[in-house]
């Protein structure tokens, strides 16, 4: 029987269809890299997620029988694609089914950060709130604001669509123009520098890559408005958190809404202590609908590869 290694966990929606087809080894949510290597040895398929680094070392540990890395995520920066390609290992991801969920979380973080929701709730729970105060918690109103979307792909595009009812001016920065989306969303394409200068809200939707590493650094933050809101639901590596924390502390940035961090699950103390930060624990795709669909997609890839068929959503 084929061995399928699930580096951490797979939801029942994904597990059930393969339960009788393969011998399943499960690392558990707290699986260490050693444990993942151990359960992957001799496997034909590996189910990974963004917290699992699929590198040459893990692929060596898996051995020559490994045919598939099915990543439970749309992003696959945790997988060394070149190594997989070189070894003839197929890599798949889970696009589309999480687009709405992630765009909705980006909108949630935009609104929550713009209105200092975390701060207000913390004050209230701690008994510091003394009743309505005209000058307190005055945030950014989305109506009439300029929103800059960095990366107008599936998730960035859906986020822009959701914003349509708010009466915002939409800017976007992207490697290539998106004429259809521009027309549909009344969005204007500008260079990143102009987007940072003009936007009241900047929301990141670009993949992690060497080009996007610390796209938002101290220099980028200097271009942004003092009241601006920064939202990141893409990947932590896009943002230099130390620079963001300093900007928040010094009042050079209005607020942030973050769902992803560079070294998850470790969060630097400086961002935990910074004012005006709404911090979510990487829950972009965490709706029942999206996560079940992602689990099924991962399993569809596993079944296809074990059957010797072409899997859906192949990236390598
Ligand atoms: C989650 O982070 C994903 O890429 O799907």
């Amino acid at each position: 029987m084929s061995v399928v290694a699930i580096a951490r966990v797979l939801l029942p929606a994904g597990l059930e269809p393969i339960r009788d087809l393969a011998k399943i080894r499960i690392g558990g949510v707290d699986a260490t890299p050693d444990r993942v290597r151990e359960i992957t040895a001799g496997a034909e398929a590996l189910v990974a997620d963004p917290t699992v680094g699929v590198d040459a070392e893990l692929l060596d540990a898996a051995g020559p029988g490994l045919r598939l890395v099915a990543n439970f995520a749309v992003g696959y920066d945790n997988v060394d694609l070149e190594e997989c390609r070189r070894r003839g290992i197929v890599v798949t991801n889970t696009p589309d089914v999480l687009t709405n969920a992630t765009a909705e979380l980006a909108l949630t973080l935009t609104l929550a950060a713009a209105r200092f929701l975390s701060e207000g709730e913390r004050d209230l729970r701690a008994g510091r709130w003394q009743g309505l105060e005209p000058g307190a918690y005055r945030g950014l109103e989305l109506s009439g604001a300029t929103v800059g979307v960095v990366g107008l792909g599936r998730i960035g595009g859906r986020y822009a669509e959701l914003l349509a009812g708010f009466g915002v001016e939409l800017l976007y920065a992207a490697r290539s123009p998106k004429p259809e989306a521009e027309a549909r969303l009344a969005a204007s394409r500008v260079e990143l520098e102009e987007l940072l200068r003009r936007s009241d809200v900047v929301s990141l939707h670009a993949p992690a890559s060497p080009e996007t590493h610390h796209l938002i650094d101290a220099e980028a933050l200097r271009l942004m408005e003092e009241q601006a809101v920064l939202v990141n639901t893409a990947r932590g590596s896009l943002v230099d958190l130390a620079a963001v924390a300093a900007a928040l502390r010094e009042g050079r940035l209005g607020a942030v809404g973050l769902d992803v961090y560079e070294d998850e699950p470790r969060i630097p103390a400086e961002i935990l202590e910074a004012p005006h930060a709404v911090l979510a624990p990487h829950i972009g795709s965490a709706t029942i609908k999206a996560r079940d669909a992602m689990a099924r997609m991962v399993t569809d890839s596993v079944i296809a590869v074990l059957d010797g068929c072409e899997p859906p959503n192949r990236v390598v």
Side-chain angles (χ1 to χ4, degrees):
M1 215 179 206
S2 304
V3 172
V4 175
I6 293 159
R8 295 177 75 236
V9 283
L10 183 60
L11 292 169
L15 211 46
E16 286 312 319
I18 46 171
R19 219 182 251 299
D20 300 328
L21 298 182
K23 186 168 166 5
I24 315 269
R25 296 193 197 135
I26 298 178
V29 261
D30 52 359
T32 59
D34 276 348
R35 167 96 181 121
V36 175
R37 279 193 289 273
E38 187 187 307
I39 64 159
T40 307
E44 277 180 53
L46 167 66
V47 175
D49 68 43
T51 65
V52 180
V54 182
D55 53 13
E57 202 182 337
L58 178 54
L59 299 175
D60 283 344
L66 187 69
R67 290 194 275 150
L68 170 72
V69 174
N71 211 37
F72 182 82
V74 65
Y76 38 80
D77 48 288
N78 57 304
V79 182
D80 186 334
L81 297 186
E82 268 322 303
E83 269 304 319
C84 289
R85 201 172 278 126
R86 208 171 62 71
R87 297 168 188 236
I89 298 169
V90 170
V91 179
T92 61
N93 70 340
T94 61
D96 301 318
V97 291
L98 47 62
T99 298
N100 282 320
T102 311
E104 286 173 17
L105 186 80
L107 181 61
T108 304
L109 288 175
T110 301
L111 292 165
R115 304 296 290 271
F116 309 128
L117 200 63
S118 289
E119 226 112 30
E121 184 173 359
R122 271 197 300 274
D123 288 349
L124 179 147
R125 286 179 186 274
R128 287 190 291 267
W129 182 52
Q130 303 196 317
L132 189 149
E133 218 185 298
Y137 309 116
R138 291 192 303 153
L140 171 79
E141 189 161 317
L142 226 45
S143 308
T146 299
V147 179
V149 181
V150 179
L152 200 67
R154 285 175 288 225
I155 297 170
R158 181 63 184 146
Y159 171 76
E161 253 171 38
L162 293 176
L163 282 169
F166 286 90
V168 301
E169 181 187 1
L170 269 179
L171 304 178
Y172 78 99
R175 273 198 308 226
S176 54
K178 316 267 179 203
E180 184 277 321
E182 273 188 38
R184 189 166 43 86
L185 303 165
S188 309
R189 182 171 177 236
V190 293
E191 292 300 323
L192 179 65
E193 198 175 306
E194 183 178 344
L195 181 146
L196 295 174
R197 280 188 206 285
R198 287 177 52 193
S199 298
D200 300 298
V201 174
V202 173
S203 188
L204 306 179
H205 300 279
S209 70
E211 296 81 58
T212 59
H213 182 259
H214 285 192
L215 193 72
I216 303 298
D217 58 4
E219 200 181 326
L221 290 164
R222 269 194 289 278
L223 300 176
M224 291 173 67
E225 293 280 346
E226 268 186 13
Q227 312 278 320
V229 174
L230 173 69
V231 175
N232 188 11
T233 52
R235 279 293 181 267
S237 64
L238 271 65
V239 172
D240 178 348
L241 273 192
V244 164
L248 287 170
R249 225 173 27 240
E250 292 159 19
R252 292 183 282 109
L253 181 65
V256 293
L258 305 175
D259 186 45
V260 286
Y261 311 87
E262 199 155 17
D263 188 24
E264 294 176 13
R266 278 163 289 278
I267 312 289
E270 54 209 317
I271 197 75
L272 292 173
E273 287 156 14
H276 307 328
V278 178
L279 305 176
H282 202 145
I283 51 169
S285 62
T287 63
I288 295 166
K289 187 174 164 185
R291 288 272 166 96
D292 278 350
M294 290 164 72
R296 278 194 300 270
M297 255 183 174
V298 155
T299 296
D300 287 348
S301 298
V302 171
I303 292 173
V305 168
L306 294 186
D307 281 350
C309 303
E310 178 68 15
N313 308 306
R314 185 172 174 169
V315 292
V316 163

